[in-house]
């Protein structure tokens, strides 16, 4: 209990840091349209995707300890289903669905992190749902079951962009299981696109677990080796990597026991029980890995936001310097113009009184300066912006790979922001906010990593002592912020 409380306290501290310090700056400067904590404020999630016959629902039912999701050889469910915990009904009364909520209510409930999915439209909302289940497996995590991927289906057939939904959910998930079945170790078109493009763009490689499911349907060990080898080859072609990603092997014991061939299960299955248990433990450890992911999320967005504000500040500094130079040139031109006007008046009108000539020259200089600021200066400012935006890569130094990765992630966004508001930010505010975000990156993130490290070395006694008077795991806002 104390271990879970510590994990929850640390998770809340990280989310609180993101909410208080990163999100205000991110929305102020156009780094993000939504609060950054939206994707991480809820419980850890495991996203399960795979071909339509890969046994996703059967495996999920195995974990939950009851038949919650419909199963079958043909596509049986075309909905995205969020499976989460409910403790209002004792497990002794039987594991079952305690509450069911439809997609429209789910997308508009601030309790859940799914409001960003509203952009996918009404057709998606009609294929999105939540089930609260009193299964102890879900006590510290949630599972998202997905429609099976097909070969010939298109966005028009589904009514929403399936890949975009998968990408958004993968971004929120702490773990992504990609399932294949023994009968189709190859990949259909949607699976190929998901692995090759969608997942790589929206999540990290260490969060993706490849699973060969339904291995009980391989009649011999040689059949299993052939299927495993085929899947390895296919994945190497998709990922473009020479090293083959690790593939876990599993099956649903309940589904195998209920099949017609349950009396003739392959003799090699007992040898692979460790694989099944390993997969189960990987899923159950998602909350702990989630803490590392949250810390990484804070560090990555903190670094990118710092780099982003730095780029805006550099643009503002260059723009300010450019404007001062051109305004000074305009001032000199107006003085020369005013003097020339006074001289011409003196020569043509014969006016020799100094005060009169000074007035005429001053008026002429003022008119020239007004003309300069209202026309020439605006043209020069626009020319500067256009030229500078064409050379964005020189806006900030990118001396190492970390900076290169950061700049690659924010470069287009910096360009869009500068084109939209023309870099019209107060230089003082940019400098202060850049200082503050760097303080968060240097102080708070270090404390969070230290707390994570301490947690891994804590005994049950240590956690019990912490639980007596704990209210927070990490210190709040640095003193300088």
């Amino acid at each position: 209990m104390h271990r879970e409380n510590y994990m929850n306290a640390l998770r809340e501290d990280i989310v609180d840091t993101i909410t208080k310090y990163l999100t205000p700056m991110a929305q102020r400067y156009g780094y993000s349209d939504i609060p950054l904590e939206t994707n991480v404020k809820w419980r850890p999630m495991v996203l399960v995707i795979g071909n339509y016959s890969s046994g996703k629902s059967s495996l999920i039912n195995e974990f939950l300890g009851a038949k919650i999701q419909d199963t079958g050889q043909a596509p049986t469910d075309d909905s995205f289903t969020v499976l989460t915990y409910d403790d209002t009904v004792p497990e002794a009364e039987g594991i079952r669905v305690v509450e069911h909520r439809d997609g429209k209510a789910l997308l508009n409930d601030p309790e859940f992190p799914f409001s960003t999915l509203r952009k996918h439209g009404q057709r998606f909302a009609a294929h999105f749902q939540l089930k609260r289940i009193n299964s102890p497996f879900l006590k510290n995590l949630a599972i998202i079951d997905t429609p099976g991927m097909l070969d010939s289906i298109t966005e028009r057939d589904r009514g929403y962009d399936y890949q975009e939904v998968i990408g958004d959910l993968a971004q929120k998930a702490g773990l992504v299981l990609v399932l294949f079945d023994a009968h189709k170790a190859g990949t259909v078109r949607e699976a190929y696109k998901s692995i090759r493009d969608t997942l790589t763009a929206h999540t990290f490689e260490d969060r993706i677990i490849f699973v060969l499911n339904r291995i009980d349907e391989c009649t011999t060990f040689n059949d299993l080796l052939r299927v495993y080898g085929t899947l390895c080859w296919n994945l190497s072609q998709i990922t473009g990597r020479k090293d083959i990603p690790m593939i876990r092997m599993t099956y649903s014991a309940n589904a195998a026991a209920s099949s017609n061939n349950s009396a003739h299960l392959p003799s090699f299955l007992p040898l692979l029980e460790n694989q099944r248990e390993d997969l189960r433990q990987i899923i159950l450890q998602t909350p702990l890995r989630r803490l590392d992911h949250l810390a990484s999320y804070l560090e990555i967005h903190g670094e990118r936001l710092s780099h982003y504000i730095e780029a805006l500040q550099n643009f503002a500094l260059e723009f300010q310097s450019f404007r001062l130079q051109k305004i000074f040139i305009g001032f000199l031109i107006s003085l020369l113009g005013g003097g020339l006007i006074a001289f011409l008046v003196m020569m043509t009108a014969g006016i020799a009184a100094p005060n009169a000539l000074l007035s005429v020259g001053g008026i002429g200089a003022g008119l020239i300066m007004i003309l300069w600021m209202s026309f020439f200066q605006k043209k020069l400012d626009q020319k500067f912006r256009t030229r500078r935006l064409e050379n964005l890569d020189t806006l900030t130094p990118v001396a190492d790979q970390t900076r290169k990765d950061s700049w690659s992630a924010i470069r287009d966004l910096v360009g869009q922001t500068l084109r939209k508001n023309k870099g019209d930010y107060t230089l003082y505010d940019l400098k202060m906010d850049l200082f503050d975000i760097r303080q968060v990156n240097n102080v708070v993130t270090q404390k969070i990593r230290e707390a994570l490290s301490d947690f891994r070395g804590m005994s049950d006694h240590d956690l019990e002592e912490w639980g007596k008077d704990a209210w927070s795991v990490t210190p709040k806002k640095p003193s300088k912020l």
Side-chain angles (χ1 to χ4, degrees), residues 116-117 119-120 163-172 202:
T116 55
L117 300 179
K119 65 183 180 182
H120 298 297
Q163 295 298 331
E164 284 193 5
V165 176
I166 290 293
D168 287 345
L169 292 175
Q171 194 173 37
K172 300 175 187 296
H202 291 86

Side-chain angles (χ1 to χ4, degrees), residues 196 231-245:
R196 180 76 175 183
L231 181 56
C232 286
W233 188 87
N234 285 328
L235 286 178
S236 70
Q237 298 302 303
I238 296 173
T239 60
R241 291 170 40 184
K242 293 181 180 180
D243 55 322
I244 306 300

Side-chain angles (χ1 to χ4, degrees), residues 160-262:
Y160 57 89
D161 193 318
Y162 177 85
Q163 295 298 331
E164 284 193 5
V165 176
I166 290 293
D168 287 345
L169 292 175
Q171 194 173 37
K172 300 175 187 296
L175 187 69
V176 180
L177 300 184
V178 184
L179 268 62
F180 303 90
D181 69 277
H183 296 291
K184 287 188 286 294
T187 54
V188 297
R189 188 177 66 180
E190 283 190 327
Y192 179 93
K193 185 171 179 59
S194 295
I195 298 170
R196 180 76 175 183
D197 301 322
T198 306
L199 294 181
T200 55
H202 291 86
T203 189
F204 298 95
E205 187 176 313
D206 63 336
R207 302 183 194 181
I208 303 173
I209 304 295
F210 294 105
V211 181
L212 178 59
N213 194 24
R214 297 174 61 182
I215 61 172
D216 58 300
E217 297 178 18
C218 293
T219 55
T220 65
F221 190 65
N222 285 337
D223 286 341
L224 177 62
L225 290 178
R226 177 181 56 80
V227 170
Y228 186 89
T230 301
L231 181 56
C232 286
W233 188 87
N234 285 328
L235 286 178
S236 70
Q237 298 302 303
I238 296 173
T239 60
R241 291 170 40 184
K242 293 181 180 180
D243 55 322
I244 306 300
M246 185 173 181
I247 302 172
R248 269 78 176 183
M249 293 180 286
T250 190
Y251 68 99
S252 169
N254 292 333
S258 62
S259 67
N260 295 330
N261 298 320
S262 59

Side-chain angles (χ1 to χ4, degrees), residues 308-361:
Y308 180 85
I309 296 175
E310 177 189 333
L312 298 183
Q313 176 188 272
N314 289 349
F315 181 91
L317 284 169
E318 291 183 19
F319 184 54
Q320 182 186 69
S321 177
F322 172 85
R323 290 205 79 199
L324 289 175
Q325 290 177 10
K326 301 308 177 186
I327 290 173
F328 182 70
I329 290 174
F331 178 71
L332 292 179
I333 291 174
S334 67
L335 288 181
L336 291 174
L340 180 59
I341 291 172
F343 178 75
L344 292 174
V345 168
M346 182 182 67
M347 296 299 294
T348 57
I351 299 176
N355 290 338
L357 291 175
L358 185 61
S359 298
V360 170

Side-chain angles (χ1 to χ4, degrees), residues 19 21-38 305 308 425:
T19 302
Y21 310 132
L22 267 64
T23 288
M25 295 187 198
Q27 295 192 304
R28 184 182 309 141
Y29 295 113
Y31 176 83
S32 176
D33 294 332
I34 62 172
L36 291 178
E37 69 275 8
T38 300
L305 184 56
Y308 180 85
Y425 294 114

